[in-house]
Amino acid sequence: MDKKTEREFAARLVEEIRRMAERADHKLRFMEVCGTHTVAIFRSGIRQMLPESVELVSGPGCPVCVTPDDYMDKAIAYARRPDVIITTFGDMLKVPGSSSSLGEAKTDGADIRIVYSPMDSIRIAQENPEKRVVFLAVGFETTAPTAAATVLAAEQQGLDNLFLLSAQKLVPPVMEALLQDEEVHVDGFILPGHVSVVTGTGIYKPVVEKYHVPGVITGFEPIQILRALYRLVRQAVNHEARVENEYEDVVRTEGNPVSRRITDTVYEPVDTNWRGMGVVPLSGLRMRESYARFDIERVVPLPAGALPAPKKTACRCGDVLRGVVTPPACPLFGTACVPTHAVGPCMVSVEGVCAAWFKYGRGRFIYGK
């Protein structure tokens, strides 16, 4: 499809969305629960293209953003131990804890190393047998298989100095938590593409059917997102609720059975804490008892009093992640909190809602409205 044809098709989709939305008895509100979708929507200016009868709101789709302060405090506490090497993705360095960050700990002398895959931690563990190497396993269903595969590889190689500090999260349980939140009002979900590649389409069905809220899986191109919105509006105005797949060339009904099997071998669901939402039942992953020797919290538990007291700030990242407010409603947004000096994780991560809003919030739709 050339640019001219694509532009015309986009215009027709938006007009059809507007026409259908006029049949609804209220303003339709849809949430994306994927950080990559958040960035794609902002970058393309889709919000500015849509009619006033349709609103898009960002949800808890950024794994760095939903990671609570207490996890960061634990990571920093382990990093400050002389016998520990922390391995992590680079975007975790600036995420604030209650009183510090990994970046500050690194400046103070902690051995913190940036890796591009959890598997890189195996080499570091082999090269440093006298140290405990701890990988910060933060992510959703997309990254959990790689973290699990790292544990299986360490087991196969007989490594006894490689550990994970896990904060893996699951999407369907947090969708349900959002729908149970009286402050959150959504008419449907733009479902995550990357997660669905691993999980398949069926994991969303129980939530969609229980709460009668439609969901559409889609890719990350503007046309794909607009097509997903078209499907969501159509379901909403017809009072339907089902899972549709706008990403069929990538997402299969069964997902990736190999990745799912690897994850299930190492991990089991557990109640876990989300920034802004508290503890959500069975929304996280913890290593099974048979792999507890790779869980740093169970092998080397932190002593009582090792973590700082929670610090209160005016940051409203938690409310932003629930879609209750948009970033400009936060008193720190764009003043005390900017990408170069972020107060909250929503401004730190490239997938964060605040970072996207700051960079693209006044953007124009790529098709030139």
Side-chain angles (χ1 to χ4, degrees), residues 8 22 24 132 164 180 183 229 253 259 290 294 315 351:
E8 292 171 348
E22 288 179 349
R132 292 186 172 103
L164 270 59
Q180 292 174 348
E183 291 188 283
L229 285 169
T253 302
S259 294
S290 54
F294 296 100
C315 173
E351 292 187 346

Side-chain angles (χ1 to χ4, degrees), residues 86-294:
I86 294 289
T87 58
T88 181
F89 299 134
D91 56 358
M92 294 295 290
L93 288 184
K94 293 183 180 180
V95 179
S98 296
S99 62
S100 182
S101 69
L102 286 169
E104 291 171 325
K106 183 175 175 64
T107 299
D108 292 339
D111 194 345
I112 301 173
R113 307 188 189 186
I114 306 303
V115 295
Y116 298 97
S117 166
M119 289 290 185
D120 295 339
S121 304
I122 290 180
R123 173 184 53 78
I124 295 172
Q126 291 169 333
E127 294 173 352
N128 298 273
E130 76 288 357
K131 296 289 186 87
R132 292 186 172 103
V133 177
V134 181
F135 174 71
L136 304 185
V138 173
F140 291 112
E141 290 96 335
T142 315
T143 58
T146 310
T150 300
V151 169
L152 294 176
E155 178 185 50
Q156 185 178 34
Q157 296 180 36
L159 284 176
D160 60 3
N161 66 326
L162 179 66
F163 307 90
L164 270 59
L165 181 62
S166 291
Q168 304 284 2
K169 302 259 191 310
L170 304 174
V171 171
V174 82
M175 288 172 56
E176 182 163 11
L178 288 166
L179 291 169
Q180 292 174 348
D181 189 329
E182 293 182 356
E183 291 188 283
V184 179
H185 305 284
V186 294
D187 295 289
F189 289 99
I190 300 174
L191 297 171
H194 293 146
V195 165
S196 302
V197 169
V198 174
T199 65
T201 62
I203 62 164
Y204 310 108
K205 188 175 179 181
V207 177
V208 165
E209 292 183 346
K210 180 178 179 179
Y211 295 91
H212 200 73
V213 174
V216 178
I217 300 164
T218 191
F220 308 96
E221 295 300 322
I223 287 292
Q224 293 175 320
I225 296 170
L226 284 173
R227 286 175 63 92
L229 285 169
Y230 170 86
R231 290 185 180 218
L232 283 170
V233 173
R234 182 175 60 188
Q235 286 197 56
V237 299
N238 290 331
H239 305 289
E240 299 170 342
R242 60 181 177 274
V243 178
E244 295 188 34
N245 186 2
E246 180 58 45
Y247 207 21
E248 289 183 334
D249 55 335
V250 176
V251 174
R252 302 288 181 262
T253 302
E254 69 279 8
N256 187 322
V258 174
S259 294
R260 289 165 54 195
R261 184 168 60 252
I262 290 172
T263 299
D264 290 343
T265 298
V266 175
Y267 283 114
E268 61 184 353
V270 66
D271 301 349
T272 197
N273 190 23
W274 293 64
R275 184 182 298 274
M277 283 167 281
V279 175
V280 178
L282 301 178
S283 64
L285 293 174
R286 173 178 172 168
M287 278 180 274
R288 297 181 184 276
E289 192 60 37
S290 54
Y291 292 95
R293 65 190 183 279
F294 296 100

